[in-house]
Amino acid sequence: MQNPMKKSLLSCALFIIILILTLSAYWPGLAGPFLFDDFGNLDALGKYGSVHNWETFRLYVFGNTSGPSGRPLSMLSFLINDNTWPSDAWSFKYTNLLIHLLNGVLLCWISFKLLRFRQTESSDAALIAIVAAGCWLLHPFFVSTTLYVVQRMAQLSTLFVLLGLLLYLRGRELLATAPRRASIWLTASIIVCTPLAILSKENGVLLPLLILVMEWTTLRTTPQPQPAPARWWTGLFLVLPSLGIIGFLFGRWEYWLAGYQNRPFTLNERLLTEGRVVLDYLQQILLPRASSIGLFQESYIVSQGWLQPASTLLAIILISGLLISGLLLRKRYPLFSLAVLFFFAGHLLESTLPPLEIYFEHRNYLPTIFFFLPPAAWLVTQVPRYRWLPAAGLLWLGLLGLLTYQQTSLWGDKTQLMQVWAARNPDSVRAQRGAAIELENAGRPDLALRQLELAIQRLPNEVELHLHRMVLTCSYRPITPQELEALQSVLREGSYNFRTYHLLETISDHIITGHCQGVDTDAAHHLLDALLQNPTARVETGPQRQIHHHLQGLLYASENQAALALQHFQTAQRILPDIESGLVQAAVLAEHQFWNEALQHLQTLRTLLKQGTTRRSGKIDYPAEIEHLEHLINQNMQGAGTKP
């Protein structure tokens, strides 16, 4: 048997082993639960009872609001696992793992084609591609992307980007022999795969730019010149969309600035901080570790200036150096240039101007796909000189698998996972509350309360922690007047964000239903009013003020004060028109037999619809819903002998 054939067989065997190793390393994590944003996205499966007919299918698939596109392909993919809610997380995580494996196969295929373009010998190209894809598949940094169910959106977007890259390379192969067929493949890579990627998650819009990076760094620097796409095609399908993305980012400056009103940091602070964040990403990729800070990064230290902290300026200098080296070394070290420029291009949307949270590991899933190609190429080409390199490469892959296994074992146990994350993120409010919630679910409210008390000692001004402690405490003993007064003081002066209002909604519901001892609706009104005295909450418009009036309306409805309930509901709609919440408000009024007020509120919703100023969630036929609810109210009025 010839040496190339042996190499090919060994490469195939190695890749099969890598896939099995990846499956085994992730297997313990499949037993883990749904987490955080999973509930906010997947509960739509049961929003209309279940997804059981065309209407509920349409409302579910096109009703998501987690991104501008609604991400319908990602929502559709969840139906592979279940059509109702609550559900079991195992099936969802298993599908995520299969997508991760498929992405690894596609990445290996793409890397092989790229290397063949550069006249790398076939058996060497296969081995390099397998090692590079294996490092990406087994790296522990992508555990949170794979086992966090809702991040299937990032996985699917990456899947279609990979397909786009593959179609493009197929077209590039055909340019010399079949230019017409080549143009079909090239064009399909953009006009087919880009929309599919966007409809999975919005950063799929980067596909033309990513292809342009691949073209410029590796395909235009081959040892022997090869036919390239026509200039008009490159300009129309690659350069123009790439410029459009950059123009979109910088052309919506005022829009981005408005979004930062609900963030505890400014646009300038985010841009300065992201330099340190990106270096943190690179460090974790280059120096993988078994531990991870997980999904709680809201306590990441924000850069207040170029030297606050001093690592901010250092990060900017290092990133600038990497970018410059990637640009200057593309002919001498094209694979290095590809890895660097592809990485930064992949971060263009989520790590720059948009008012997103500071830090998330899943943002590296797509940008890092070529990160391991340069070291893998060096390793394989240097084997004749250093016979020990194959053993080192195998040990590295085994280490990555072991580190991933350690992480997934933790992800498979939610109670332990939350406790570890809380310990690793002592300044994260969400981490502390998550640990407390899991202790509550485990039947240990005493330990949950202790968790919150310790967190409050470290973070005394965090309103969320105080509210959570109140909800937990009042469920098994009365709240004293002194405790209520202390809570009001915290609400007036402490730190809060949009999640504070969701907690207030939970408290209001507990109070209205009588599940909060020692607190009546009058006390709930005082709590809401105290929050409005907080200097950071004194805004006349916006979602916080809208929710405030909505909650006041719910309280007044429970107190049988129909006029005040209607007044606050209508004020909420005037501040931020939202038909879906308006229908809920009308239903609440009708539930308390405030028939006339409910009909009046429905008429307000009709007016808002005609004006076109209201937010619409999904593709619900709101006029039909209003008419249906109005018909039910009229029927109830007739049954009660009441005239409108």
Side-chain angles (χ1 to χ4, degrees), residues 188-207:
S189 71
I190 301 297
I191 67 173
V192 174
C193 294
T194 303
L196 292 176
I198 293 171
L199 294 176
S200 300
K201 191 177 180 182
E202 290 72 24
N203 56 348
V205 75
L206 294 172
L207 176 58

Side-chain angles (χ1 to χ4, degrees), residues 35 52 82 102 150 175 181 208-209 242 270 309 319 327 373 428 439 446 490 512 522 553 560 563 586 602 642:
L35 297 163
H52 58 275
D82 208 340
L102 177 57
V150 76
L175 273 176
R181 286 175 56 201
L209 176 61
S242 300
R270 186 179 197 273
I319 288 173
L327 292 170
L373 195 55
S428 167
L439 289 170
D446 55 328
V490 172
I512 290 170
D522 187 54
N560 291 319
L602 289 177
T642 305

Side-chain angles (χ1 to χ4, degrees), residues 41 64-71 153 201-202:
N41 287 272
N64 187 267
T65 58
S66 58
S69 70
R71 307 175 184 179
M153 297 173 178
K201 191 177 180 182
E202 290 72 24

Side-chain angles (χ1 to χ4, degrees), residues 202-426:
E202 290 72 24
N203 56 348
V205 75
L206 294 172
L207 176 58
L209 176 61
L210 298 175
I211 290 177
L212 190 61
V213 169
M214 182 176 70
E215 174 73 38
W216 190 71
T217 56
T218 54
L219 301 179
R220 296 290 176 99
T221 59
T222 54
Q224 297 179 359
Q226 300 184 33
R231 288 185 178 181
W232 69 266
W233 189 95
T234 301
L236 180 62
F237 289 99
L238 298 183
V239 176
L240 190 61
S242 300
L243 292 176
I245 295 167
I246 297 171
F248 171 81
L249 275 173
F250 288 94
R252 305 196 73 187
W253 194 268
E254 296 299 326
Y255 178 78
W256 302 139
L257 287 176
Y260 281 91
Q261 293 178 2
N262 296 320
R263 292 295 183 190
F265 46 82
T266 66
L267 171 58
N268 289 337
E269 289 172 343
R270 186 179 197 273
L271 289 175
L272 288 172
T273 307
E274 284 301 321
R276 293 170 36 240
V277 169
V278 168
L279 278 189
D280 194 336
Y281 293 154
L282 290 172
Q283 181 185 17
Q284 293 198 62
I285 295 165
L286 292 170
L287 301 172
R289 53 196 186 208
S291 61
S292 167
I293 60 176
L295 305 180
F296 302 106
Q297 293 89 12
E298 83 274 15
S299 59
Y300 198 95
I301 297 174
V302 174
S303 296
Q304 305 294 324
W306 292 92
L307 295 174
Q308 295 177 303
S311 56
T312 304
L313 180 59
L314 176 62
I316 299 299
I317 292 172
L318 290 174
I319 288 173
S320 300
L322 280 172
L323 282 169
I324 292 171
S325 64
L327 292 170
L328 296 180
L329 298 176
R330 74 181 186 95
K331 291 184 178 180
R332 189 173 181 183
Y333 301 110
L335 295 183
F336 168 80
S337 181
L338 170 66
V340 169
L341 297 182
F342 197 97
F343 176 79
F344 286 108
H347 275 286
L348 185 61
L349 285 184
E350 292 184 298
S351 299
T352 56
L353 298 177
L356 304 173
E357 292 197 41
I358 293 290
Y359 187 113
F360 269 121
E361 293 173 350
H362 69 261
R363 292 174 183 165
N364 296 275
Y365 191 73
L366 171 61
T368 56
I369 60 172
F370 293 122
F371 205 87
F372 305 101
L373 195 55
W378 180 87
L379 185 147
V380 172
T381 56
Q382 294 299 311
V383 165
R385 293 181 61 187
Y386 306 103
R387 296 294 182 180
W388 51 269
L389 279 178
L394 291 174
L395 284 174
W396 175 252
L397 289 170
L399 175 63
L400 292 177
L402 178 61
L403 295 176
T404 295
Y405 178 82
Q406 289 179 312
Q407 277 205 40
T408 62
S409 298
L410 181 62
W411 275 72
D413 185 338
K414 187 176 183 181
T415 301
Q416 184 184 5
L417 179 67
M418 292 301 172
Q419 295 302 311
V420 170
W421 281 351
R424 290 175 184 167
N425 301 274

Side-chain angles (χ1 to χ4, degrees), residues 269 292 497 600 609:
E269 289 172 343
S292 167
N497 55 46
Q600 186 178 340
L609 275 175

Side-chain angles (χ1 to χ4, degrees), residues 6-22:
K6 288 183 179 180
K7 280 187 175 181
S8 297
L9 291 175
L10 286 173
S11 297
C12 289
L14 176 62
F15 196 45
I16 292 172
I17 291 171
I18 287 173
L19 293 176
I20 294 173
L21 184 60
T22 303

Side-chain angles (χ1 to χ4, degrees), residues 61-198:
V61 171
F62 298 102
N64 187 267
T65 58
S66 58
S69 70
R71 307 175 184 179
L73 281 181
S74 294
M75 299 304 291
L76 179 64
S77 76
F78 293 127
L79 289 175
I80 295 172
N81 306 108
D82 208 340
N83 69 332
T84 190
W85 188 261
S87 186
D88 178 52
W90 194 95
S91 170
F92 290 84
K93 292 176 184 284
Y94 179 65
T95 301
N96 278 22
L97 177 54
L98 294 182
I99 294 171
H100 182 56
L101 292 171
L102 177 57
N103 284 340
V105 172
L106 292 175
L107 175 57
C108 183
W109 193 357
I110 291 165
S111 300
F112 175 76
K113 283 184 173 292
L114 269 178
L115 292 165
R116 292 295 293 140
F117 263 103
R118 302 196 56 77
Q119 281 83 53
T120 304
E121 198 273 323
S122 181
S123 59
D124 284 345
L127 189 56
I128 293 168
I130 288 168
V131 172
C135 290
W136 185 82
L137 277 169
L138 287 165
H139 204 288
F141 200 42
F142 306 124
V143 167
S144 61
T145 309
T146 305
L147 294 182
Y148 189 11
V149 172
V150 76
Q151 289 311 324
R152 184 180 301 179
M153 297 173 178
Q155 288 187 303
L156 283 178
S157 183
T158 299
L159 171 66
F160 290 117
V161 168
L162 289 168
L163 284 174
L165 296 175
L166 192 59
L167 293 182
Y168 184 83
L169 289 173
R170 177 56 180 159
R172 267 306 233 116
E173 288 174 338
L174 293 171
L175 273 176
T177 57
R180 288 188 177 180
R181 286 175 56 201
S183 65
I184 294 174
W185 286 97
L186 292 171
T187 306
S189 71
I190 301 297
I191 67 173
V192 174
C193 294
T194 303
L196 292 176
I198 293 171

